[in-house]
Amino acid sequence: MCKGLIAKKLGMTRIFNQDGNSIPVTVVQAGPCVVTQIKTVETDGYNALQVAFGPKKEQRVNKPMKGHFAKAGVPCFSVVKEFAVEDPSQFTLGQEVTVDLFKVGDLVDVVGTTQGKGFAGTIKRHGYHRGPVTHGSHNVRAPGSVGCSAWPSRIVKGKKMPGHMGVDRKTVRNLQIVDIRPEENLLLIKGAVPGHKTGILEIKKRKYQK
């Protein structure tokens, strides 16, 4: 069994359960993904499936990827990722992997790229406290002292400073699948997931127990 799918985030909404409670959900289009390469312990040192998602015009694909897709006998795609698999012999090149991989109530790990926030200061980026705002203070949102006194007389590596915020790879674990609509390749996942609308996600079977 394949351990995950590539998906596209469509947005958030809410649904009501049988008790009438409102549940916030993220709607994602999960697959169908096409198998483009099968990796085994004998050939690559590990078992995995390389799957592709999202059709792409052939003229927008570089030559190495064109050859890779042609070798698999599939059209061109925009996203290619790997997922672990227990028995690669169960799959063939060009086979589709769909939302049938999951069932309602499953807990999954969702991997995505967070939204970019541009250049941000230490208060927004790291949650620093602000300085005093009275008596002529000029240190309201500045980070304050960042160096050392006499030794080692430098800024220590890893110091939390202003800088580019967001666009980080983030994993949210143990999110519940509330509903599955296989005819539309949709998963309704409880809560929020990383990224913006139309962002690419990896939906994986959970790694750790909750």
Side-chain angles (χ1 to χ4, degrees):
M1 178 182 291
C2 186
K3 298 293 181 69
L5 282 177
I6 307 173
K8 181 169 69 173
K9 180 177 177 180
L10 301 182
M12 289 197 70
T13 183
R14 63 176 177 172
I15 62 174
F16 295 90
N17 61 13
Q18 295 179 349
D19 299 326
N21 297 321
S22 174
I23 303 175
V25 295
T26 302
V27 183
V28 301
Q29 178 188 347
C33 297
V34 177
V35 178
T36 55
Q37 187 177 358
I38 300 174
K39 299 194 174 185
T40 63
V41 175
E42 292 75 17
T43 58
D44 301 278
Y46 62 99
N47 291 331
L49 285 184
Q50 184 190 88
V51 296
F53 172 78
K56 191 174 185 178
K57 293 182 179 179
E58 185 177 346
Q59 60 265 33
R60 295 185 179 274
V61 179
N62 58 32
K63 286 186 178 180
M65 290 307 297
K66 282 182 184 178
H68 184 67
F69 291 132
K71 184 178 179 180
V74 299
C76 296
F77 292 90
S78 58
V79 184
V80 177
K81 294 185 180 294
E82 279 187 15
F83 294 97
V85 66
E86 296 172 356
D87 186 7
S89 63
Q90 296 180 352
F91 297 89
T92 58
L93 292 177
Q95 179 179 340
E96 283 194 349
V97 185
T98 65
V99 291
D100 296 336
L101 192 65
F102 304 104
K103 61 181 185 293
V104 175
D106 281 353
L107 297 180
V108 294
D109 298 338
V110 181
V111 185
T113 303
T114 59
Q115 295 186 34
K117 305 294 183 180
F119 188 93
T122 53
I123 292 178
K124 179 176 180 179
R125 192 182 186 200
H126 302 296
Y128 275 27
H129 292 288
R130 63 165 176 78
V133 295
T134 56
H135 300 288
S137 170
H138 296 288
N139 190 33
V140 179
R141 296 183 68 90
S145 175
V146 295
C148 305
S149 176
W151 185 88
S153 298
R154 60 181 174 82
I155 297 178
V156 180
K157 285 185 178 180
K159 178 67 177 176
K160 293 179 179 179
M161 301 281 280
H164 187 201
M165 182 179 176
V167 197
D168 297 316
R169 181 180 170 89
K170 184 174 182 178
T171 301
V172 180
R173 300 195 183 277
N174 295 314
L175 296 179
Q176 185 181 24
I177 296 177
V178 178
D179 192 13
I180 299 177
R181 301 179 183 178
E183 65 281 355
E184 299 173 287
N185 299 308
L186 297 182
L187 293 178
L188 275 63
I189 301 174
K190 184 177 181 180
V193 303
H196 56 81
K197 289 182 181 179
T198 72
I200 297 298
L201 304 170
E202 298 173 37
I203 313 295
K204 300 181 179 180
K205 291 186 175 292
R206 64 173 179 171
K207 186 173 182 180
Y208 302 108
Q209 297 293 327
K210 195 172 182 179

